[in-house]
Amino acid sequence: EKGMISEDEYEIEKNKILRGNEIGFSINELFGLSQDSYCMLMHLAQFFGYIIPIAGMIIPVLLWQINKGDYIMVDEQGKVVANWIISSLIYKILFFILCFLLIGIPLLYLLILLEFIFIIIGAIRAKNGLVWKYPFSIRFF
């Protein structure tokens, strides 16, 4: 197995070549960020929701909508983020209703923990040029 690369490593290198991110090629700039950094920012922008409640939903979607037509990777990552935002909102409403039966309280805590973990994993994968679909995410886009 010496000299073999994993599937993730293969995808990262393939994406770099296809997008022209190899040394000697220009990097696509989005507000002064590389495409991978911009995609990572879309994932991390969801954390604004912990500071300003609606901002965590609006900012990532705005970042996606601004550049989705010009960059394929931004469109793919934006769809993943938007799907998770909508799915998470549905789960929060459902678990809030279940709070009256007391089963929703631990489910809400679990959802908040999973949100935090999923956003970080999604951001890391986006920085590496990979699209990671959030588990339990309902596919709308």
Side-chain angles (χ1 to χ4, degrees):
E1 295 208 7
K2 186 175 182 179
M4 294 183 69
I5 61 173
S6 69
E7 186 68 30
D8 284 344
E9 291 170 327
Y10 170 77
E11 287 296 322
I12 290 168
E13 295 305 316
K14 182 178 92 174
N15 286 334
K16 284 181 183 177
I17 292 169
L18 291 175
R19 288 193 323 249
N21 287 347
E22 284 296 304
I23 297 173
F25 292 91
S26 64
I27 295 176
N28 294 327
E29 295 289 328
L30 297 159
F31 299 115
L33 299 171
S34 69
Q35 189 169 330
D36 293 338
S37 296
Y38 187 83
C39 291
M40 180 180 74
L41 180 64
M42 279 194 303
H43 288 274
L44 294 177
Q46 295 176 74
F47 284 129
F48 282 114
Y50 292 109
I51 300 168
I52 303 170
I54 304 298
M57 291 182 231
I58 294 173
I59 293 173
V61 172
L62 283 177
L63 290 172
W64 169 43
Q65 291 298 314
I66 290 170
N67 289 299
K68 74 176 184 177
D70 298 329
Y71 301 93
I72 294 170
M73 183 59 84
V74 171
D75 189 36
E76 291 176 16
Q77 295 285 351
K79 287 177 184 176
V80 168
V81 171
N83 285 335
W84 175 247
I85 290 170
I86 295 169
S87 299
S88 176
L89 182 63
I90 291 170
Y91 294 141
K92 285 177 185 173
I93 292 169
L94 178 66
F95 294 163
F96 178 75
I97 293 169
L98 290 175
C99 281
F100 296 109
L101 302 174
L102 298 177
I103 193 168
I105 296 169
L107 292 174
L108 275 173
Y109 284 121
L110 179 63
L111 180 61
I112 291 169
L113 177 66
L114 289 176
E115 270 185 328
F116 187 77
I117 294 169
F118 290 170
I119 291 170
I120 291 174
I121 292 171
I124 292 169
R125 293 288 177 108
K127 181 64 177 163
N128 290 330
L130 299 172
V131 177
W132 185 70
K133 294 182 171 99
Y134 290 48
F136 310 115
S137 181
I138 303 166
R139 191 169 179 176
F140 295 101
F141 303 103

PDB file of all heavy atoms in Angstrom, residues 67-99:
ATOM      1  N   ASN A  67     -22.700  34.447  -5.510  1.00  0.00           N
ATOM      2  CA  ASN A  67     -21.713  33.882  -6.424  1.00  0.00           C
ATOM      3  C   ASN A  67     -22.050  32.503  -6.967  1.00  0.00           C
ATOM      4  O   ASN A  67     -21.185  31.848  -7.549  1.00  0.00           O
ATOM      5  CB  ASN A  67     -20.348  33.831  -5.732  1.00  0.00           C
ATOM      6  CG  ASN A  67     -19.765  35.197  -5.554  1.00  0.00           C
ATOM      7  OD1 ASN A  67     -19.514  35.902  -6.518  1.00  0.00           O
ATOM      8  ND2 ASN A  67     -19.576  35.593  -4.311  1.00  0.00           N
ATOM      9  N   LYS A  68     -23.262  32.034  -6.799  1.00  0.00           N
ATOM     10  CA  LYS A  68     -23.582  30.677  -7.234  1.00  0.00           C
ATOM     11  C   LYS A  68     -23.521  30.509  -8.750  1.00  0.00           C
ATOM     12  O   LYS A  68     -23.212  29.433  -9.242  1.00  0.00           O
ATOM     13  CB  LYS A  68     -24.945  30.227  -6.711  1.00  0.00           C
ATOM     14  CG  LYS A  68     -26.128  30.849  -7.406  1.00  0.00           C
ATOM     15  CD  LYS A  68     -27.410  30.278  -6.882  1.00  0.00           C
ATOM     16  CE  LYS A  68     -28.585  30.837  -7.657  1.00  0.00           C
ATOM     17  NZ  LYS A  68     -29.829  30.263  -7.226  1.00  0.00           N
ATOM     18  N   GLY A  69     -23.788  31.534  -9.513  1.00  0.00           N
ATOM     19  CA  GLY A  69     -23.777  31.427 -10.963  1.00  0.00           C
ATOM     20  C   GLY A  69     -22.380  31.439 -11.565  1.00  0.00           C
ATOM     21  O   GLY A  69     -22.174  30.954 -12.673  1.00  0.00           O
ATOM     22  N   ASP A  70     -21.415  31.966 -10.829  1.00  0.00           N
ATOM     23  CA  ASP A  70     -20.057  32.100 -11.347  1.00  0.00           C
ATOM     24  C   ASP A  70     -19.118  30.972 -10.936  1.00  0.00           C
ATOM     25  O   ASP A  70     -18.115  30.732 -11.598  1.00  0.00           O
ATOM     26  CB  ASP A  70     -19.453  33.436 -10.888  1.00  0.00           C
ATOM     27  CG  ASP A  70     -20.239  34.621 -11.413  1.00  0.00           C
ATOM     28  OD1 ASP A  70     -20.806  34.516 -12.511  1.00  0.00           O
ATOM     29  OD2 ASP A  70     -20.286  35.654 -10.713  1.00  0.00           O
ATOM     30  N   TYR A  71     -19.427  30.313  -9.840  1.00  0.00           N
ATOM     31  CA  TYR A  71     -18.524  29.295  -9.305  1.00  0.00           C
ATOM     32  C   TYR A  71     -19.313  28.032  -8.962  1.00  0.00           C
ATOM     33  O   TYR A  71     -20.228  28.072  -8.133  1.00  0.00           O
ATOM     34  CB  TYR A  71     -17.814  29.807  -8.052  1.00  0.00           C
ATOM     35  CG  TYR A  71     -17.012  31.057  -8.299  1.00  0.00           C
ATOM     36  CD1 TYR A  71     -17.571  32.317  -8.093  1.00  0.00           C
ATOM     37  CD2 TYR A  71     -15.711  30.973  -8.759  1.00  0.00           C
ATOM     38  CE1 TYR A  71     -16.838  33.462  -8.327  1.00  0.00           C
ATOM     39  CE2 TYR A  71     -14.965  32.113  -8.991  1.00  0.00           C
ATOM     40  CZ  TYR A  71     -15.537  33.359  -8.775  1.00  0.00           C
ATOM     41  OH  TYR A  71     -14.812  34.492  -9.016  1.00  0.00           O
ATOM     42  N   ILE A  72     -18.955  26.927  -9.582  1.00  0.00           N
ATOM     43  CA  ILE A  72     -19.665  25.661  -9.375  1.00  0.00           C
ATOM     44  C   ILE A  72     -19.540  25.187  -7.927  1.00  0.00           C
ATOM     45  O   ILE A  72     -20.512  24.752  -7.315  1.00  0.00           O
ATOM     46  CB  ILE A  72     -19.141  24.586 -10.351  1.00  0.00           C
ATOM     47  CG1 ILE A  72     -19.491  24.983 -11.784  1.00  0.00           C
ATOM     48  CG2 ILE A  72     -19.720  23.219 -10.019  1.00  0.00           C
ATOM     49  CD1 ILE A  72     -18.823  24.134 -12.843  1.00  0.00           C
ATOM     50  N   MET A  73     -18.327  25.296  -7.379  1.00  0.00           N
ATOM     51  CA  MET A  73     -18.106  24.824  -6.010  1.00  0.00           C
ATOM     52  C   MET A  73     -18.922  25.643  -5.007  1.00  0.00           C
ATOM     53  O   MET A  73     -19.471  25.097  -4.050  1.00  0.00           O
ATOM     54  CB  MET A  73     -16.622  24.880  -5.652  1.00  0.00           C
ATOM     55  CG  MET A  73     -16.306  24.334  -4.275  1.00  0.00           C
ATOM     56  SD  MET A  73     -16.782  22.625  -4.037  1.00  0.00           S
ATOM     57  CE  MET A  73     -15.385  21.801  -4.716  1.00  0.00           C
ATOM     58  N   VAL A  74     -19.032  26.935  -5.222  1.00  0.00           N
ATOM     59  CA  VAL A  74     -19.837  27.782  -4.340  1.00  0.00           C
ATOM     60  C   VAL A  74     -21.294  27.342  -4.406  1.00  0.00           C
ATOM     61  O   VAL A  74     -21.975  27.262  -3.378  1.00  0.00           O
ATOM     62  CB  VAL A  74     -19.683  29.276  -4.722  1.00  0.00           C
ATOM     63  CG1 VAL A  74     -20.688  30.133  -3.964  1.00  0.00           C
ATOM     64  CG2 VAL A  74     -18.270  29.753  -4.452  1.00  0.00           C
ATOM     65  N   ASP A  75     -21.777  27.030  -5.595  1.00  0.00           N
ATOM     66  CA  ASP A  75     -23.155  26.571  -5.751  1.00  0.00           C
ATOM     67  C   ASP A  75     -23.380  25.248  -5.021  1.00  0.00           C
ATOM     68  O   ASP A  75     -24.371  25.081  -4.307  1.00  0.00           O
ATOM     69  CB  ASP A  75     -23.509  26.441  -7.231  1.00  0.00           C
ATOM     70  CG  ASP A  75     -24.988  26.169  -7.463  1.00  0.00           C
ATOM     71  OD1 ASP A  75     -25.818  26.705  -6.701  1.00  0.00           O
ATOM     72  OD2 ASP A  75     -25.306  25.424  -8.404  1.00  0.00           O
ATOM     73  N   GLU A  76     -22.454  24.305  -5.176  1.00  0.00           N
ATOM     74  CA  GLU A  76     -22.598  23.004  -4.510  1.00  0.00           C
ATOM     75  C   GLU A  76     -22.571  23.152  -2.992  1.00  0.00           C
ATOM     76  O   GLU A  76     -23.411  22.585  -2.287  1.00  0.00           O
ATOM     77  CB  GLU A  76     -21.486  22.058  -4.966  1.00  0.00           C
ATOM     78  CG  GLU A  76     -21.602  21.623  -6.401  1.00  0.00           C
ATOM     79  CD  GLU A  76     -20.422  20.760  -6.850  1.00  0.00           C
ATOM     80  OE1 GLU A  76     -19.683  20.253  -5.973  1.00  0.00           O
ATOM     81  OE2 GLU A  76     -20.244  20.608  -8.058  1.00  0.00           O
ATOM     82  N   GLN A  77     -21.603  23.908  -2.484  1.00  0.00           N
ATOM     83  CA  GLN A  77     -21.492  24.098  -1.034  1.00  0.00           C
ATOM     84  C   GLN A  77     -22.691  24.870  -0.504  1.00  0.00           C
ATOM     85  O   GLN A  77     -23.205  24.578   0.578  1.00  0.00           O
ATOM     86  CB  GLN A  77     -20.195  24.842  -0.690  1.00  0.00           C
ATOM     87  CG  GLN A  77     -18.932  24.099  -1.003  1.00  0.00           C
ATOM     88  CD  GLN A  77     -18.627  22.975  -0.035  1.00  0.00           C
ATOM     89  OE1 GLN A  77     -19.268  22.803   1.006  1.00  0.00           O
ATOM     90  NE2 GLN A  77     -17.627  22.183  -0.375  1.00  0.00           N
ATOM     91  N   GLY A  78     -23.158  25.863  -1.267  1.00  0.00           N
ATOM     92  CA  GLY A  78     -24.307  26.655  -0.838  1.00  0.00           C
ATOM     93  C   GLY A  78     -25.567  25.823  -0.712  1.00  0.00           C
ATOM     94  O   GLY A  78     -26.370  26.021   0.208  1.00  0.00           O
ATOM     95  N   LYS A  79     -25.758  24.891  -1.644  1.00  0.00           N
ATOM     96  CA  LYS A  79     -26.921  24.004  -1.568  1.00  0.00           C
ATOM     97  C   LYS A  79     -26.864  23.147  -0.308  1.00  0.00           C
ATOM     98  O   LYS A  79     -27.880  22.953   0.373  1.00  0.00           O
ATOM     99  CB  LYS A  79     -26.989  23.108  -2.796  1.00  0.00           C
ATOM    100  CG  LYS A  79     -27.410  23.843  -4.051  1.00  0.00           C
ATOM    101  CD  LYS A  79     -27.379  22.924  -5.247  1.00  0.00           C
ATOM    102  CE  LYS A  79     -27.709  23.681  -6.526  1.00  0.00           C
ATOM    103  NZ  LYS A  79     -27.597  22.823  -7.712  1.00  0.00           N
ATOM    104  N   VAL A  80     -25.679  22.637   0.007  1.00  0.00           N
ATOM    105  CA  VAL A  80     -25.509  21.806   1.207  1.00  0.00           C
ATOM    106  C   VAL A  80     -25.827  22.625   2.458  1.00  0.00           C
ATOM    107  O   VAL A  80     -26.547  22.165   3.347  1.00  0.00           O
ATOM    108  CB  VAL A  80     -24.072  21.234   1.260  1.00  0.00           C
ATOM    109  CG1 VAL A  80     -23.780  20.621   2.603  1.00  0.00           C
ATOM    110  CG2 VAL A  80     -23.852  20.226   0.156  1.00  0.00           C
ATOM    111  N   VAL A  81     -25.298  23.840   2.517  1.00  0.00           N
ATOM    112  CA  VAL A  81     -25.526  24.698   3.685  1.00  0.00           C
ATOM    113  C   VAL A  81     -27.003  25.075   3.800  1.00  0.00           C
ATOM    114  O   VAL A  81     -27.588  25.004   4.881  1.00  0.00           O
ATOM    115  CB  VAL A  81     -24.633  25.959   3.617  1.00  0.00           C
ATOM    116  CG1 VAL A  81     -25.011  26.956   4.699  1.00  0.00           C
ATOM    117  CG2 VAL A  81     -23.165  25.581   3.741  1.00  0.00           C
ATOM    118  N   ALA A  82     -27.614  25.465   2.679  1.00  0.00           N
ATOM    119  CA  ALA A  82     -29.039  25.851   2.705  1.00  0.00           C
ATOM    120  C   ALA A  82     -29.924  24.672   3.110  1.00  0.00           C
ATOM    121  O   ALA A  82     -30.878  24.850   3.887  1.00  0.00           O
ATOM    122  CB  ALA A  82     -29.460  26.390   1.345  1.00  0.00           C
ATOM    123  N   ASN A  83     -29.610  23.487   2.607  1.00  0.00           N
ATOM    124  CA  ASN A  83     -30.374  22.300   2.999  1.00  0.00           C
ATOM    125  C   ASN A  83     -30.277  22.066   4.499  1.00  0.00           C
ATOM    126  O   ASN A  83     -31.268  21.724   5.154  1.00  0.00           O
ATOM    127  CB  ASN A  83     -29.889  21.059   2.242  1.00  0.00           C
ATOM    128  CG  ASN A  83     -30.353  21.033   0.812  1.00  0.00           C
ATOM    129  OD1 ASN A  83     -31.353  21.628   0.454  1.00  0.00           O
ATOM    130  ND2 ASN A  83     -29.609  20.326  -0.027  1.00  0.00           N
ATOM    131  N   TRP A  84     -29.078  22.243   5.053  1.00  0.00           N
ATOM    132  CA  TRP A  84     -28.905  22.027   6.481  1.00  0.00           C
ATOM    133  C   TRP A  84     -29.636  23.091   7.298  1.00  0.00           C
ATOM    134  O   TRP A  84     -30.248  22.798   8.319  1.00  0.00           O
ATOM    135  CB  TRP A  84     -27.432  21.984   6.882  1.00  0.00           C
ATOM    136  CG  TRP A  84     -27.286  21.892   8.358  1.00  0.00           C
ATOM    137  CD1 TRP A  84     -26.783  22.825   9.203  1.00  0.00           C
ATOM    138  CD2 TRP A  84     -27.702  20.805   9.198  1.00  0.00           C
ATOM    139  NE1 TRP A  84     -26.857  22.393  10.496  1.00  0.00           N
ATOM    140  CE2 TRP A  84     -27.409  21.162  10.522  1.00  0.00           C
ATOM    141  CE3 TRP A  84     -28.296  19.577   8.941  1.00  0.00           C
ATOM    142  CZ2 TRP A  84     -27.693  20.312  11.593  1.00  0.00           C
ATOM    143  CZ3 TRP A  84     -28.575  18.730  10.019  1.00  0.00           C
ATOM    144  CH2 TRP A  84     -28.263  19.101  11.327  1.00  0.00           C
ATOM    145  N   ILE A  85     -29.588  24.333   6.852  1.00  0.00           N
ATOM    146  CA  ILE A  85     -30.269  25.408   7.576  1.00  0.00           C
ATOM    147  C   ILE A  85     -31.771  25.130   7.648  1.00  0.00           C
ATOM    148  O   ILE A  85     -32.384  25.231   8.716  1.00  0.00           O
ATOM    149  CB  ILE A  85     -29.983  26.775   6.908  1.00  0.00           C
ATOM    150  CG1 ILE A  85     -28.525  27.172   7.142  1.00  0.00           C
ATOM    151  CG2 ILE A  85     -30.920  27.848   7.443  1.00  0.00           C
ATOM    152  CD1 ILE A  85     -28.084  28.379   6.338  1.00  0.00           C
ATOM    153  N   ILE A  86     -32.369  24.763   6.525  1.00  0.00           N
ATOM    154  CA  ILE A  86     -33.809  24.484   6.499  1.00  0.00           C
ATOM    155  C   ILE A  86     -34.130  23.239   7.324  1.00  0.00           C
ATOM    156  O   ILE A  86     -35.081  23.234   8.118  1.00  0.00           O
ATOM    157  CB  ILE A  86     -34.305  24.325   5.048  1.00  0.00           C
ATOM    158  CG1 ILE A  86     -34.153  25.647   4.293  1.00  0.00           C
ATOM    159  CG2 ILE A  86     -35.756  23.861   5.022  1.00  0.00           C
ATOM    160  CD1 ILE A  86     -34.357  25.527   2.801  1.00  0.00           C
ATOM    161  N   SER A  87     -33.328  22.182   7.181  1.00  0.00           N
ATOM    162  CA  SER A  87     -33.547  20.949   7.943  1.00  0.00           C
ATOM    163  C   SER A  87     -33.434  21.210   9.434  1.00  0.00           C
ATOM    164  O   SER A  87     -34.267  20.743  10.226  1.00  0.00           O
ATOM    165  CB  SER A  87     -32.533  19.884   7.528  1.00  0.00           C
ATOM    166  OG  SER A  87     -32.661  19.570   6.182  1.00  0.00           O
ATOM    167  N   SER A  88     -32.417  21.950   9.821  1.00  0.00           N
ATOM    168  CA  SER A  88     -32.200  22.258  11.229  1.00  0.00           C
ATOM    169  C   SER A  88     -33.366  23.058  11.804  1.00  0.00           C
ATOM    170  O   SER A  88     -33.804  22.816  12.932  1.00  0.00           O
ATOM    171  CB  SER A  88     -30.893  23.039  11.387  1.00  0.00           C
ATOM    172  OG  SER A  88     -30.693  23.422  12.705  1.00  0.00           O
ATOM    173  N   LEU A  89     -33.877  23.996  11.026  1.00  0.00           N
ATOM    174  CA  LEU A  89     -35.032  24.781  11.473  1.00  0.00           C
ATOM    175  C   LEU A  89     -36.260  23.888  11.682  1.00  0.00           C
ATOM    176  O   LEU A  89     -36.962  24.013  12.690  1.00  0.00           O
ATOM    177  CB  LEU A  89     -35.341  25.886  10.457  1.00  0.00           C
ATOM    178  CG  LEU A  89     -36.482  26.825  10.809  1.00  0.00           C
ATOM    179  CD1 LEU A  89     -36.170  27.599  12.083  1.00  0.00           C
ATOM    180  CD2 LEU A  89     -36.755  27.771   9.660  1.00  0.00           C
ATOM    181  N   ILE A  90     -36.475  22.972  10.764  1.00  0.00           N
ATOM    182  CA  ILE A  90     -37.601  22.031  10.897  1.00  0.00           C
ATOM    183  C   ILE A  90     -37.435  21.174  12.154  1.00  0.00           C
ATOM    184  O   ILE A  90     -38.377  20.989  12.930  1.00  0.00           O
ATOM    185  CB  ILE A  90     -37.723  21.147   9.634  1.00  0.00           C
ATOM    186  CG1 ILE A  90     -38.188  21.993   8.448  1.00  0.00           C
ATOM    187  CG2 ILE A  90     -38.679  19.975   9.876  1.00  0.00           C
ATOM    188  CD1 ILE A  90     -38.102  21.282   7.120  1.00  0.00           C
ATOM    189  N   TYR A  91     -36.211  20.660  12.359  1.00  0.00           N
ATOM    190  CA  TYR A  91     -35.963  19.841  13.551  1.00  0.00           C
ATOM    191  C   TYR A  91     -36.158  20.648  14.836  1.00  0.00           C
ATOM    192  O   TYR A  91     -36.714  20.149  15.815  1.00  0.00           O
ATOM    193  CB  TYR A  91     -34.555  19.258  13.527  1.00  0.00           C
ATOM    194  CG  TYR A  91     -34.321  18.251  12.417  1.00  0.00           C
ATOM    195  CD1 TYR A  91     -33.108  18.223  11.723  1.00  0.00           C
ATOM    196  CD2 TYR A  91     -35.285  17.331  12.052  1.00  0.00           C
ATOM    197  CE1 TYR A  91     -32.877  17.302  10.712  1.00  0.00           C
ATOM    198  CE2 TYR A  91     -35.067  16.411  11.045  1.00  0.00           C
ATOM    199  CZ  TYR A  91     -33.860  16.410  10.376  1.00  0.00           C
ATOM    200  OH  TYR A  91     -33.638  15.498   9.383  1.00  0.00           O
ATOM    201  N   LYS A  92     -35.708  21.908  14.841  1.00  0.00           N
ATOM    202  CA  LYS A  92     -35.862  22.735  16.038  1.00  0.00           C
ATOM    203  C   LYS A  92     -37.334  22.969  16.363  1.00  0.00           C
ATOM    204  O   LYS A  92     -37.733  22.911  17.530  1.00  0.00           O
ATOM    205  CB  LYS A  92     -35.147  24.074  15.854  1.00  0.00           C
ATOM    206  CG  LYS A  92     -33.654  23.966  15.960  1.00  0.00           C
ATOM    207  CD  LYS A  92     -32.991  25.305  15.694  1.00  0.00           C
ATOM    208  CE  LYS A  92     -31.482  25.148  15.692  1.00  0.00           C
ATOM    209  NZ  LYS A  92     -30.795  26.367  15.277  1.00  0.00           N
ATOM    210  N   ILE A  93     -38.130  23.246  15.346  1.00  0.00           N
ATOM    211  CA  ILE A  93     -39.570  23.447  15.572  1.00  0.00           C
ATOM    212  C   ILE A  93     -40.205  22.171  16.106  1.00  0.00           C
ATOM    213  O   ILE A  93     -40.969  22.196  17.082  1.00  0.00           O
ATOM    214  CB  ILE A  93     -40.257  23.921  14.274  1.00  0.00           C
ATOM    215  CG1 ILE A  93     -39.793  25.330  13.916  1.00  0.00           C
ATOM    216  CG2 ILE A  93     -41.776  23.862  14.409  1.00  0.00           C
ATOM    217  CD1 ILE A  93     -40.194  25.781  12.530  1.00  0.00           C
ATOM    218  N   LEU A  94     -39.883  21.042  15.499  1.00  0.00           N
ATOM    219  CA  LEU A  94     -40.428  19.760  15.933  1.00  0.00           C
ATOM    220  C   LEU A  94     -40.006  19.436  17.369  1.00  0.00           C
ATOM    221  O   LEU A  94     -40.840  19.050  18.203  1.00  0.00           O
ATOM    222  CB  LEU A  94     -39.977  18.645  14.990  1.00  0.00           C
ATOM    223  CG  LEU A  94     -40.431  17.235  15.330  1.00  0.00           C
ATOM    224  CD1 LEU A  94     -41.945  17.126  15.199  1.00  0.00           C
ATOM    225  CD2 LEU A  94     -39.744  16.233  14.433  1.00  0.00           C
ATOM    226  N   PHE A  95     -38.728  19.631  17.683  1.00  0.00           N
ATOM    227  CA  PHE A  95     -38.239  19.319  19.026  1.00  0.00           C
ATOM    228  C   PHE A  95     -38.804  20.295  20.057  1.00  0.00           C
ATOM    229  O   PHE A  95     -39.024  19.923  21.204  1.00  0.00           O
ATOM    230  CB  PHE A  95     -36.718  19.312  19.066  1.00  0.00           C
ATOM    231  CG  PHE A  95     -36.095  18.203  18.251  1.00  0.00           C
ATOM    232  CD1 PHE A  95     -34.747  18.267  17.907  1.00  0.00           C
ATOM    233  CD2 PHE A  95     -36.821  17.109  17.808  1.00  0.00           C
ATOM    234  CE1 PHE A  95     -34.164  17.251  17.148  1.00  0.00           C
ATOM    235  CE2 PHE A  95     -36.253  16.105  17.057  1.00  0.00           C
ATOM    236  CZ  PHE A  95     -34.916  16.176  16.734  1.00  0.00           C
ATOM    237  N   PHE A  96     -39.035  21.547  19.656  1.00  0.00           N
ATOM    238  CA  PHE A  96     -39.650  22.508  20.570  1.00  0.00           C
ATOM    239  C   PHE A  96     -41.064  22.052  20.942  1.00  0.00           C
ATOM    240  O   PHE A  96     -41.462  22.128  22.101  1.00  0.00           O
ATOM    241  CB  PHE A  96     -39.683  23.909  19.957  1.00  0.00           C
ATOM    242  CG  PHE A  96     -40.338  24.919  20.835  1.00  0.00           C
ATOM    243  CD1 PHE A  96     -39.673  25.417  21.950  1.00  0.00           C
ATOM    244  CD2 PHE A  96     -41.628  25.365  20.567  1.00  0.00           C
ATOM    245  CE1 PHE A  96     -40.291  26.344  22.777  1.00  0.00           C
ATOM    246  CE2 PHE A  96     -42.243  26.282  21.391  1.00  0.00           C
ATOM    247  CZ  PHE A  96     -41.575  26.784  22.498  1.00  0.00           C
ATOM    248  N   ILE A  97     -41.799  21.583  19.950  1.00  0.00           N
ATOM    249  CA  ILE A  97     -43.148  21.064  20.217  1.00  0.00           C
ATOM    250  C   ILE A  97     -43.068  19.860  21.154  1.00  0.00           C
ATOM    251  O   ILE A  97     -43.880  19.711  22.070  1.00  0.00           O
ATOM    252  CB  ILE A  97     -43.866  20.709  18.899  1.00  0.00           C
ATOM    253  CG1 ILE A  97     -44.151  21.990  18.106  1.00  0.00           C
ATOM    254  CG2 ILE A  97     -45.155  19.936  19.156  1.00  0.00           C
ATOM    255  CD1 ILE A  97     -44.607  21.758  16.686  1.00  0.00           C
ATOM    256  N   LEU A  98     -42.060  19.013  20.937  1.00  0.00           N
ATOM    257  CA  LEU A  98     -41.893  17.833  21.796  1.00  0.00           C
ATOM    258  C   LEU A  98     -41.412  18.185  23.205  1.00  0.00           C
ATOM    259  O   LEU A  98     -41.453  17.331  24.099  1.00  0.00           O
ATOM    260  CB  LEU A  98     -40.926  16.846  21.153  1.00  0.00           C
ATOM    261  CG  LEU A  98     -41.442  16.122  19.910  1.00  0.00           C
ATOM    262  CD1 LEU A  98     -40.341  15.266  19.300  1.00  0.00           C
ATOM    263  CD2 LEU A  98     -42.651  15.281  20.234  1.00  0.00           C
ATOM    264  N   CYS A  99     -40.978  19.419  23.422  1.00  0.00           N
ATOM    265  CA  CYS A  99     -40.566  19.839  24.765  1.00  0.00           C
ATOM    266  C   CYS A  99     -41.732  19.763  25.756  1.00  0.00           C
ATOM    267  O   CYS A  99     -41.527  19.563  26.943  1.00  0.00           O
ATOM    268  CB  CYS A  99     -40.001  21.254  24.746  1.00  0.00           C
ATOM    269  SG  CYS A  99     -38.308  21.339  24.160  1.00  0.00           S
TER     270      CYS A  99
END
